[in-house]
mmCIF file of all heavy atoms in Angstrom:
data_model
loop_
_atom_site.group_PDB
_atom_site.id
_atom_site.type_symbol
_atom_site.label_atom_id
_atom_site.label_comp_id
_atom_site.label_asym_id
_atom_site.label_seq_id
_atom_site.Cartn_x
_atom_site.Cartn_y
_atom_site.Cartn_z
ATOM 1 N N ILE G 1 120.531 106.952 56.683
ATOM 2 C CA ILE G 1 119.104 107.264 56.716
ATOM 3 C C ILE G 1 118.229 106.017 56.627
ATOM 4 O O ILE G 1 117.267 105.865 57.380
ATOM 5 C CB ILE G 1 118.752 108.250 55.593
ATOM 6 C CG1 ILE G 1 119.385 109.619 55.893
ATOM 7 C CG2 ILE G 1 117.239 108.402 55.434
ATOM 8 C CD1 ILE G 1 119.149 110.667 54.848
ATOM 9 N N ALA G 2 118.546 105.113 55.702
ATOM 10 C CA ALA G 2 117.711 103.918 55.527
ATOM 11 C C ALA G 2 117.645 103.104 56.818
ATOM 12 O O ALA G 2 116.565 102.706 57.274
ATOM 13 C CB ALA G 2 118.244 103.066 54.381
ATOM 14 N N PHE G 3 118.798 102.849 57.419
ATOM 15 C CA PHE G 3 118.847 102.114 58.690
ATOM 16 C C PHE G 3 118.051 102.848 59.763
ATOM 17 O O PHE G 3 117.328 102.231 60.556
ATOM 18 C CB PHE G 3 120.300 101.941 59.142
ATOM 19 C CG PHE G 3 120.450 101.341 60.514
ATOM 20 C CD1 PHE G 3 120.475 99.967 60.680
ATOM 21 C CD2 PHE G 3 120.548 102.153 61.637
ATOM 22 C CE1 PHE G 3 120.590 99.403 61.951
ATOM 23 C CE2 PHE G 3 120.663 101.603 62.911
ATOM 24 C CZ PHE G 3 120.690 100.231 63.067
ATOM 25 N N SER G 4 118.176 104.174 59.800
ATOM 26 C CA SER G 4 117.507 104.979 60.823
ATOM 27 C C SER G 4 115.988 104.900 60.707
ATOM 28 O O SER G 4 115.282 104.781 61.711
ATOM 29 C CB SER G 4 117.968 106.433 60.724
ATOM 30 O OG SER G 4 119.353 106.546 60.976
ATOM 31 N N ILE G 5 115.486 104.979 59.472
ATOM 32 C CA ILE G 5 114.038 104.861 59.277
ATOM 33 C C ILE G 5 113.558 103.489 59.739
ATOM 34 O O ILE G 5 112.552 103.369 60.447
ATOM 35 C CB ILE G 5 113.652 105.106 57.807
ATOM 36 C CG1 ILE G 5 113.995 106.545 57.393
ATOM 37 C CG2 ILE G 5 112.162 104.840 57.590
ATOM 38 C CD1 ILE G 5 113.802 106.824 55.909
ATOM 39 N N ASN G 6 114.281 102.452 59.346
ATOM 40 C CA ASN G 6 113.908 101.087 59.767
ATOM 41 C C ASN G 6 113.899 100.946 61.278
ATOM 42 O O ASN G 6 113.009 100.307 61.868
ATOM 43 C CB ASN G 6 114.881 100.071 59.166
ATOM 44 C CG ASN G 6 114.749 99.936 57.657
ATOM 45 O OD1 ASN G 6 113.749 100.348 57.078
ATOM 46 N ND2 ASN G 6 115.747 99.359 57.028
ATOM 47 N N LEU G 7 114.892 101.554 61.924
ATOM 48 C CA LEU G 7 114.988 101.480 63.386
ATOM 49 C C LEU G 7 113.775 102.136 64.038
ATOM 50 O O LEU G 7 113.185 101.594 64.990
ATOM 51 C CB LEU G 7 116.277 102.167 63.858
ATOM 52 C CG LEU G 7 116.502 102.224 65.369
ATOM 53 C CD1 LEU G 7 116.593 100.814 65.963
ATOM 54 C CD2 LEU G 7 117.763 103.019 65.685
ATOM 55 N N ALA G 8 113.379 103.285 63.518
ATOM 56 C CA ALA G 8 112.208 103.978 64.060
ATOM 57 C C ALA G 8 110.942 103.155 63.863
ATOM 58 O O ALA G 8 110.114 103.035 64.780
ATOM 59 C CB ALA G 8 112.059 105.341 63.391
ATOM 60 N N VAL G 9 110.790 102.570 62.690
ATOM 61 C CA VAL G 9 109.601 101.771 62.377
ATOM 62 C C VAL G 9 109.478 100.590 63.333
ATOM 63 O O VAL G 9 108.381 100.258 63.796
ATOM 64 C CB VAL G 9 109.648 101.277 60.913
ATOM 65 C CG1 VAL G 9 108.535 100.271 60.632
ATOM 66 C CG2 VAL G 9 109.535 102.462 59.951
ATOM 67 N N LYS G 10 110.604 99.982 63.668
ATOM 68 C CA LYS G 10 110.592 98.828 64.557
ATOM 69 C C LYS G 10 110.341 99.219 66.021
ATOM 70 O O LYS G 10 110.131 98.350 66.875
ATOM 71 C CB LYS G 10 111.901 98.058 64.418
ATOM 72 C CG LYS G 10 112.031 97.387 63.043
ATOM 73 C CD LYS G 10 113.411 96.822 62.793
ATOM 74 C CE LYS G 10 113.516 96.276 61.361
ATOM 75 N NZ LYS G 10 114.873 95.789 61.032
ATOM 76 N N ASN G 11 110.367 100.526 66.294
ATOM 77 C CA ASN G 11 110.142 101.000 67.650
ATOM 78 C C ASN G 11 108.803 101.723 67.807
ATOM 79 O O ASN G 11 108.617 102.482 68.754
ATOM 80 C CB ASN G 11 111.280 101.928 68.076
ATOM 81 C CG ASN G 11 112.486 101.161 68.593
ATOM 82 O OD1 ASN G 11 112.584 100.837 69.766
ATOM 83 N ND2 ASN G 11 113.402 100.852 67.679
ATOM 84 N N THR G 12 107.897 101.484 66.883
ATOM 85 C CA THR G 12 106.553 102.038 67.008
ATOM 86 C C THR G 12 105.527 101.011 66.554
ATOM 87 O O THR G 12 105.830 100.146 65.731
ATOM 88 C CB THR G 12 106.400 103.327 66.166
ATOM 89 O OG1 THR G 12 105.092 103.866 66.369
ATOM 90 C CG2 THR G 12 106.600 103.047 64.675
ATOM 91 N N LYS G 13 104.326 101.119 67.098
ATOM 92 C CA LYS G 13 103.228 100.248 66.690
ATOM 93 C C LYS G 13 102.175 101.013 65.891
ATOM 94 O O LYS G 13 101.091 100.496 65.623
ATOM 95 C CB LYS G 13 102.582 99.606 67.919
ATOM 96 C CG LYS G 13 103.528 98.670 68.675
ATOM 97 C CD LYS G 13 102.839 98.048 69.879
ATOM 98 C CE LYS G 13 103.788 97.113 70.616
ATOM 99 N NZ LYS G 13 103.140 96.496 71.805
ATOM 100 N N LYS G 14 102.480 102.235 65.527
ATOM 101 C CA LYS G 14 101.523 103.069 64.811
ATOM 102 C C LYS G 14 101.253 102.521 63.411
ATOM 103 O O LYS G 14 102.112 101.892 62.789
ATOM 104 C CB LYS G 14 102.036 104.502 64.708
ATOM 105 C CG LYS G 14 102.305 105.172 66.051
ATOM 106 C CD LYS G 14 101.036 105.351 66.863
ATOM 107 C CE LYS G 14 101.296 106.127 68.147
ATOM 108 N NZ LYS G 14 100.084 106.313 68.954
ATOM 109 N N LYS G 15 100.069 102.802 62.921
ATOM 110 C CA LYS G 15 99.643 102.322 61.606
ATOM 111 C C LYS G 15 100.368 103.041 60.477
ATOM 112 O O LYS G 15 100.802 102.427 59.502
ATOM 113 C CB LYS G 15 98.139 102.512 61.456
ATOM 114 C CG LYS G 15 97.572 102.113 60.088
ATOM 115 C CD LYS G 15 96.065 102.351 60.049
ATOM 116 C CE LYS G 15 95.489 101.976 58.682
ATOM 117 N NZ LYS G 15 94.025 102.209 58.629
ATOM 118 N N TYR G 16 100.492 104.363 60.621
ATOM 119 C CA TYR G 16 101.109 105.174 59.572
ATOM 120 C C TYR G 16 102.487 105.661 60.005
ATOM 121 O O TYR G 16 102.678 106.087 61.149
ATOM 122 C CB TYR G 16 100.243 106.392 59.241
ATOM 123 C CG TYR G 16 98.925 106.063 58.602
ATOM 124 C CD1 TYR G 16 97.729 106.295 59.273
ATOM 125 C CD2 TYR G 16 98.858 105.521 57.314
ATOM 126 C CE1 TYR G 16 96.504 106.001 58.688
ATOM 127 C CE2 TYR G 16 97.642 105.213 56.722
ATOM 128 C CZ TYR G 16 96.469 105.459 57.407
ATOM 129 O OH TYR G 16 95.261 105.165 56.834
ATOM 130 N N ILE G 17 103.422 105.612 59.082
ATOM 131 C CA ILE G 17 104.765 106.134 59.277
ATOM 132 C C ILE G 17 104.951 107.299 58.306
ATOM 133 O O ILE G 17 104.763 107.133 57.101
ATOM 134 C CB ILE G 17 105.857 105.078 58.988
ATOM 135 C CG1 ILE G 17 105.610 103.803 59.816
ATOM 136 C CG2 ILE G 17 107.243 105.663 59.219
ATOM 137 C CD1 ILE G 17 105.728 103.983 61.301
ATOM 138 N N MET G 18 105.293 108.463 58.846
ATOM 139 C CA MET G 18 105.565 109.606 57.977
ATOM 140 C C MET G 18 107.004 110.066 58.199
ATOM 141 O O MET G 18 107.334 110.603 59.265
ATOM 142 C CB MET G 18 104.601 110.767 58.233
ATOM 143 C CG MET G 18 104.857 111.965 57.311
ATOM 144 S SD MET G 18 103.725 113.353 57.589
ATOM 145 C CE MET G 18 102.213 112.678 56.885
ATOM 146 N N TYR G 19 107.838 109.847 57.206
ATOM 147 C CA TYR G 19 109.213 110.339 57.288
ATOM 148 C C TYR G 19 109.245 111.788 56.823
ATOM 149 O O TYR G 19 108.694 112.137 55.759
ATOM 150 C CB TYR G 19 110.158 109.505 56.419
ATOM 151 C CG TYR G 19 111.521 110.156 56.283
ATOM 152 C CD1 TYR G 19 112.431 110.121 57.333
ATOM 153 C CD2 TYR G 19 111.876 110.844 55.119
ATOM 154 C CE1 TYR G 19 113.661 110.748 57.230
ATOM 155 C CE2 TYR G 19 113.101 111.474 55.011
ATOM 156 C CZ TYR G 19 113.987 111.416 56.075
ATOM 157 O OH TYR G 19 115.203 112.055 55.973
ATOM 158 N N LEU G 20 109.896 112.646 57.618
ATOM 159 C CA LEU G 20 110.073 114.046 57.259
ATOM 160 C C LEU G 20 111.548 114.403 57.311
ATOM 161 O O LEU G 20 112.205 114.200 58.341
ATOM 162 C CB LEU G 20 109.312 114.966 58.232
ATOM 163 C CG LEU G 20 107.788 114.859 58.289
ATOM 164 C CD1 LEU G 20 107.253 115.845 59.329
ATOM 165 C CD2 LEU G 20 107.172 115.141 56.931
ATOM 166 N N ALA G 21 112.092 114.914 56.213
ATOM 167 C CA ALA G 21 113.424 115.500 56.257
ATOM 168 C C ALA G 21 113.343 116.764 57.105
ATOM 169 O O ALA G 21 112.381 117.534 57.004
ATOM 170 C CB ALA G 21 113.903 115.826 54.845
ATOM 171 N N SER G 22 114.327 116.993 57.935
ATOM 172 C CA SER G 22 114.234 118.093 58.898
ATOM 173 C C SER G 22 114.316 119.470 58.242
ATOM 174 O O SER G 22 113.960 120.471 58.868
ATOM 175 C CB SER G 22 115.330 117.956 59.958
ATOM 176 O OG SER G 22 116.604 117.943 59.350
ATOM 177 N N ASP G 23 114.773 119.539 56.992
ATOM 178 C CA ASP G 23 114.811 120.834 56.291
ATOM 179 C C ASP G 23 113.623 120.998 55.346
ATOM 180 O O ASP G 23 113.700 121.675 54.325
ATOM 181 C CB ASP G 23 116.135 121.005 55.529
ATOM 182 C CG ASP G 23 116.442 119.854 54.580
ATOM 183 O OD1 ASP G 23 115.685 118.866 54.576
ATOM 184 O OD2 ASP G 23 117.438 119.943 53.841
ATOM 185 N N THR G 24 112.514 120.368 55.726
ATOM 186 C CA THR G 24 111.268 120.459 54.969
ATOM 187 C C THR G 24 110.297 121.394 55.691
ATOM 188 O O THR G 24 110.167 121.337 56.907
ATOM 189 C CB THR G 24 110.620 119.067 54.824
ATOM 190 O OG1 THR G 24 111.503 118.217 54.103
ATOM 191 C CG2 THR G 24 109.301 119.154 54.081
ATOM 192 N N ASN G 25 109.616 122.211 54.938
ATOM 193 C CA ASN G 25 108.629 123.130 55.510
ATOM 194 C C ASN G 25 107.237 122.566 55.270
ATOM 195 O O ASN G 25 106.704 122.643 54.172
ATOM 196 C CB ASN G 25 108.777 124.506 54.851
ATOM 197 C CG ASN G 25 107.914 125.569 55.511
ATOM 198 O OD1 ASN G 25 107.184 125.280 56.459
ATOM 199 N ND2 ASN G 25 107.980 126.777 55.007
ATOM 200 N N ILE G 26 106.653 121.978 56.310
ATOM 201 C CA ILE G 26 105.325 121.375 56.178
ATOM 202 C C ILE G 26 104.471 121.785 57.378
ATOM 203 O O ILE G 26 104.965 121.864 58.511
ATOM 204 C CB ILE G 26 105.406 119.837 56.058
ATOM 205 C CG1 ILE G 26 104.034 119.243 55.685
ATOM 206 C CG2 ILE G 26 105.990 119.195 57.300
ATOM 207 C CD1 ILE G 26 104.101 117.780 55.266
ATOM 208 N N ARG G 27 103.206 122.056 57.137
ATOM 209 C CA ARG G 27 102.287 122.489 58.191
ATOM 210 C C ARG G 27 101.429 121.318 58.669
ATOM 211 O O ARG G 27 101.257 120.324 57.958
ATOM 212 C CB ARG G 27 101.382 123.612 57.681
ATOM 213 C CG ARG G 27 102.133 124.837 57.196
ATOM 214 C CD ARG G 27 101.182 125.961 56.840
ATOM 215 N NE ARG G 27 100.217 125.575 55.822
ATOM 216 C CZ ARG G 27 100.435 125.649 54.517
ATOM 217 N NH1 ARG G 27 101.610 126.079 54.059
ATOM 218 N NH2 ARG G 27 99.507 125.287 53.647
ATOM 219 N N ASN G 28 100.875 121.450 59.871
ATOM 220 C CA ASN G 28 99.994 120.408 60.414
ATOM 221 C C ASN G 28 98.774 120.181 59.524
ATOM 222 O O ASN G 28 98.314 119.045 59.364
ATOM 223 C CB ASN G 28 99.542 120.785 61.830
ATOM 224 C CG ASN G 28 100.653 120.623 62.844
ATOM 225 O OD1 ASN G 28 101.244 119.560 62.968
ATOM 226 N ND2 ASN G 28 100.947 121.677 63.580
ATOM 227 N N SER G 29 98.249 121.248 58.938
ATOM 228 C CA SER G 29 97.088 121.107 58.052
ATOM 229 C C SER G 29 97.434 120.263 56.833
ATOM 230 O O SER G 29 96.586 119.510 56.321
ATOM 231 C CB SER G 29 96.594 122.485 57.609
ATOM 232 O OG SER G 29 97.616 123.208 56.935
ATOM 233 N N GLN G 30 98.677 120.350 56.371
ATOM 234 C CA GLN G 30 99.107 119.538 55.229
ATOM 235 C C GLN G 30 99.295 118.080 55.632
ATOM 236 O O GLN G 30 98.982 117.169 54.855
ATOM 237 C CB GLN G 30 100.408 120.113 54.647
ATOM 238 C CG GLN G 30 100.226 121.486 54.024
ATOM 239 C CD GLN G 30 101.533 122.087 53.577
ATOM 240 O OE1 GLN G 30 102.509 122.124 54.321
ATOM 241 N NE2 GLN G 30 101.571 122.555 52.331
ATOM 242 N N ILE G 31 99.785 117.859 56.833
ATOM 243 C CA ILE G 31 99.910 116.497 57.344
ATOM 244 C C ILE G 31 98.536 115.849 57.441
ATOM 245 O O ILE G 31 98.347 114.678 57.089
ATOM 246 C CB ILE G 31 100.620 116.495 58.715
ATOM 247 C CG1 ILE G 31 102.082 116.929 58.539
ATOM 248 C CG2 ILE G 31 100.546 115.120 59.368
ATOM 249 C CD1 ILE G 31 102.829 117.115 59.843
ATOM 250 N N ILE G 32 97.550 116.616 57.892
ATOM 251 C CA ILE G 32 96.175 116.112 57.986
ATOM 252 C C ILE G 32 95.652 115.714 56.608
ATOM 253 O O ILE G 32 95.028 114.655 56.447
ATOM 254 C CB ILE G 32 95.255 117.162 58.639
ATOM 255 C CG1 ILE G 32 95.612 117.304 60.119
ATOM 256 C CG2 ILE G 32 93.790 116.787 58.481
ATOM 257 C CD1 ILE G 32 94.901 118.448 60.819
#
C-alpha cells in the first residue's frame, strides 16, 4: 500500500491527494 500511494502521488500534479480504502463508504458530499 505505501509504495502504491507514493506511485500514484508521483503520477499526478493535483494539489490534494485523498487516499480511500476501497471498502470505505463515503459520499461525494462528505468529500466536499
Side-chain angles (χ1 to χ4, degrees):
I1 291 178
F3 173 87
S4 297
I5 296 173
N6 291 343
L7 178 61
V9 171
K10 292 170 185 176
N11 277 272
T12 183
K13 296 181 180 180
K14 301 295 185 180
K15 177 180 179 180
Y16 293 113
I17 306 295
M18 181 180 287
Y19 169 75
L20 297 179
S22 58
D23 54 355
T24 298
N25 187 359
I26 190 168
R27 301 186 302 274
N28 286 305
S29 59
Q30 294 175 311
I31 293 173
I32 290 172

